[in-house]
């Protein structure tokens, strides 16, 4: 299919195979959405269980609010400790790549996410926030690797490793 680009005055060809592929991908997601959501919820819950088991009372799950729904794939948490700001912890991780703050938190440096603060998360906890997302292909074994990496990062920051 050719389309005239008015700003240039030339014709260009639309990427029909990519358009068809996107349509097929959307179809597959729609057909399998419930299974994908169930898997991601299971893996996210396992992640939160593993974090609680490794860090005990030092972990705060920032995205759990009674009576509210949450995304099946996202976990926002803070590991409490004075030198455990989210960016510092992630900088020490060897395998984990993640984000700090909240999804709508653009690069605010070390300032905590205004979204987390508005949800009642205390300043010192919000400053340490890390956001992890799992996907439809994420396994429990990968969660175990991530939690181990986080534990080692925290140990390095606290001078224990």
């Amino acid at each position: 299919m050719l389309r005239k680009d008015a700003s240039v005055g030339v014709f260009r060809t639309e990427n029909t195979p990519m358009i068809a592929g996107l349509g097929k991908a959307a179809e597959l997601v729609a057909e399998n959405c419930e299974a994908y959501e169930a898997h991601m919820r299971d893996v996210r819950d396992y992640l939160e269980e593993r974090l609680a088991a490794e860090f005990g009372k030092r972990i705060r799950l920032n995205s759990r609010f009674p009576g509210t729904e949450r995304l099946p794939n996202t976990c926002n948490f803070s590991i409490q400790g004075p030198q455990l700001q989210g960016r510092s912890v992630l900088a020490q991780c060897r395998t984990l790549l993640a984000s700090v703050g909240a999804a709508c938190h653009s690069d605010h440096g070390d300032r905590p996410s205004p979204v987390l603060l508005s949800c009642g998360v205390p300043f010192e906890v919000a400053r340490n926030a890390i956001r992890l997302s799992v996907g439809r292909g994420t396994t429990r074994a990968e969660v175990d690797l991530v939690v181990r990496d986080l534990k080692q990062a925290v140990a390095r920051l606290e001078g224990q490793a």
Side-chain angles (χ1 to χ4, degrees):
M1 171 169 48
L2 292 176
R3 181 173 72 87
K4 184 172 182 180
D5 187 333
S7 64
V8 180
V10 297
F11 288 93
R12 67 181 171 141
T13 303
E14 297 296 335
N15 191 340
T16 306
M18 292 293 276
I19 293 168
L22 178 61
K24 185 62 177 178
E27 180 184 314
L28 290 171
V29 168
E31 287 174 6
N32 297 293
C33 192
E34 287 182 26
Y36 293 159
E37 282 186 26
H39 171 76
M40 289 185 287
R41 188 175 293 108
D42 177 66
V43 174
R44 181 211 54 208
D45 291 349
Y46 179 71
L47 168 63
E48 292 176 351
E49 290 168 13
R50 293 290 299 125
L51 289 168
E54 286 298 331
F55 295 102
K57 293 182 181 191
R58 296 182 70 192
I59 197 83
R60 171 163 170 160
L61 299 172
N62 300 321
S63 51
R64 286 185 175 178
F65 297 100
T68 61
E69 290 187 41
R70 49 194 281 225
L71 293 173
N73 68 323
T74 306
C75 171
N76 187 303
F77 65 94
S78 298
I79 304 169
Q80 298 181 59
Q83 59 271 64
L84 301 180
Q85 288 80 24
R87 290 184 195 284
S88 301
V89 172
L90 292 177
Q92 290 294 317
C93 287
R94 303 253 165 92
T95 59
L96 173 63
L97 297 175
S99 301
V100 296
C104 45
H105 180 223
S106 60
D107 189 17
H108 288 183
D110 287 331
R111 292 179 299 166
S113 163
V115 173
L116 292 175
L117 294 173
S118 72
C119 290
V121 175
F123 182 90
E124 291 299 320
V125 175
R127 191 175 65 171
N128 291 13
I130 297 172
R131 185 180 70 253
L132 299 181
S133 296
V134 300
R136 64 181 190 241
T138 306
T139 66
R140 287 179 174 225
E142 290 169 326
V143 167
D144 291 338
L145 289 172
V146 164
V147 172
R148 187 175 323 127
D149 194 18
L150 283 166
K151 185 175 181 180
Q152 291 168 351
V154 168
R156 281 190 289 280
L157 285 170
E158 294 181 328
Q160 301 169 1

